[in-house]
Amino acid sequence: MPALHKLSSAKVRTAPPGKYSDGGGLWLVKREDGGAQWVLRVTIHGRRREMGIGNLQTVSLKEARETAEKWRAVVRDGKDPIKVRDKQRRLAAKKDHTLEAVALEAFEARKSQLKADGKAGRWFSPLELHVLPKIGKVPVEEIDQQDIKNALAPIWHEKADTAQKAMNRLNITLKHAAAMGLNVDLQATMKASALLGKTRHKAKNIPYMPWPEVPAFYASLPEQTPTHLALRLLILTAVRSYPVRFCHLDQIEANVWTIPAANMKGQHGLVTDFRVPLSDEALQVIELAKPLSREGFLFPSVRKGVISDATMSRHMERRELLARPHGFRSSFKTWCVETTDMPEVVVETSLAHVVGNKVERSYRRTDLLERRRPLMTRWADHVTGRNASEVIKIA
């Protein structure tokens, strides 16, 4: 066997540019630019292989000899050291690409499409609560339908909506992994759904308050607090809670409230915003809220930001009411159907619903703002009891 350890520390440090053998296939290659590299030359299966094992700045002579001996042992076992090293690196990378790591990366990539950049956490929470604690540490390339089935089986029937959301997020995560160049099974979620079977869960509509009872509830919100005023504006405008909670003074001009597309459900990426005609009562509520505003937001929370999406719901729960804030949209819709002859397109547009097929929408270039204005005024008159001879009492 060729002599080993030919070089000394002094030689390594002071040698001019050139190639210097330490024996056993270990070479020090010094370049004209001052750089230096350790190289191991071996022959495996009659083929000469050359692999870098580090630069002189980070790998000492002693460390280079130890590394060289490790790879010479691999050669003695009849294996290609470069292939073995590449495989080790792939396995190490696989450990870094766990389901949890890739899911977080997928979430980051989608944040710009989510409300408030996903700060509410609703997109990620089905994974965070029901999937990642069980299989989050598994390399994403190893995830199969059985892993997904086992993770979601406990909630597949009991919390079907959440389970479906988790399955959807998993599918997005696997597609993201594939885009990263990882070898994943893109059909794993479909196969898992087949294994889990059809859900027995039946979707439940959000409880709503019958429209004749709304005036009494509205009258029970006299306090000038963010919760009471937010509920009043939500009822009067028939919009969802998110736009109300993030209502900003800059969005209101005269008697029109322009809700940014980013704050509207399903509106991400649209150029147009959604305009809401404000009744006199709605304008009065906004005036009452202005002194409470913080950083322009009409309904701030006690500490920072705006009131949470649960604040209004908890208020109704404490009143022992079955109805929930979102249900006032159903109250409004039912009132429209039963007490007005307003065309469906006007009513649905008031609720920010998509009306008609793609072709019909392409020709209808209006949000019917002025036709919606008298409807919202009539609704406000009903809500405030101005056009009713009797108001049903709400506990």
Side-chain angles (χ1 to χ4, degrees), residues 97-344:
H97 293 142
T98 62
L99 176 65
E100 182 175 12
V102 177
L104 284 167
E105 189 170 324
F107 177 44
E108 288 293 329
R110 293 181 63 84
K111 272 188 175 181
S112 62
Q113 304 172 45
L114 305 174
K115 288 181 180 179
D117 287 336
K119 290 180 181 177
R122 288 188 171 183
W123 191 93
F124 197 69
S125 61
L127 290 178
E128 189 174 34
L129 295 175
H130 303 288
V131 177
L132 299 183
K134 299 174 182 177
I135 58 174
K137 302 303 180 184
V138 178
V140 71
E141 290 182 306
E142 297 179 11
I143 294 292
D144 60 20
Q145 62 268 27
Q146 198 65 47
D147 296 321
I148 298 173
K149 171 186 176 293
N150 292 340
L152 293 180
I155 64 169
W156 189 249
H157 297 295
E158 299 302 321
K159 298 180 179 179
D161 291 343
T162 301
Q164 288 292 348
K165 288 178 181 178
M167 190 73 81
N168 170 267
R169 279 34 162 194
L170 275 170
N171 189 45
I172 291 172
T173 298
L174 292 176
K175 288 181 178 179
H176 188 86
M180 293 168 63
L182 301 177
N183 184 24
V184 294
D185 183 359
L186 291 176
Q187 295 185 326
T189 52
M190 181 183 68
K191 296 172 186 175
S193 294
L195 291 175
L196 287 162
K198 188 175 181 180
T199 177
R200 295 191 300 268
H201 176 78
K202 294 183 179 180
K204 296 181 180 179
N205 293 325
I206 296 175
Y208 81 104
M209 184 177 292
W211 62 264
E213 299 178 10
V214 175
F217 178 72
Y218 187 86
S220 72
L221 302 169
E223 299 176 13
Q224 293 187 31
T225 62
T227 301
H228 278 213
L229 293 173
L231 273 168
R232 288 168 66 179
L233 187 64
L234 179 140
I235 294 169
L236 290 166
T237 58
V239 302
R240 295 178 173 85
S241 63
Y242 190 92
V244 171
R245 294 191 300 112
F246 285 89
C247 183
H248 195 278
L249 287 170
D250 291 344
Q251 299 170 6
I252 298 166
E253 184 174 354
N255 56 4
V256 175
W257 172 20
T258 302
I259 302 174
N263 288 0
M264 296 294 295
K265 181 180 180 180
Q267 298 284 321
H268 302 298
L270 295 184
V271 176
T272 57
D273 303 325
F274 181 68
R275 297 191 298 170
V276 180
L278 296 171
S279 63
D280 290 342
E281 179 70 12
L283 288 170
Q284 183 178 343
V285 170
I286 290 169
E287 287 299 317
L288 291 172
K290 283 182 179 179
L292 305 176
S293 65
R294 185 171 64 228
E295 298 179 353
F297 291 105
L298 289 178
F299 308 113
S301 66
V302 176
R303 294 173 183 169
K304 62 179 181 178
V306 300
I307 58 175
S308 72
D309 57 354
T311 300
M312 290 182 280
S313 291
R314 283 199 295 267
H315 175 82
M316 299 184 76
E317 288 176 5
R318 287 194 294 269
R319 297 277 300 275
E320 298 184 355
L321 298 172
L322 293 177
R324 292 296 174 262
H326 189 82
F328 287 114
R329 288 167 57 80
S330 294
S331 305
F332 170 76
K333 173 66 180 292
T334 308
W335 172 83
C336 288
V337 172
E338 294 185 357
T339 70
T340 78
D341 56 0
M342 194 63 67
E344 181 183 10

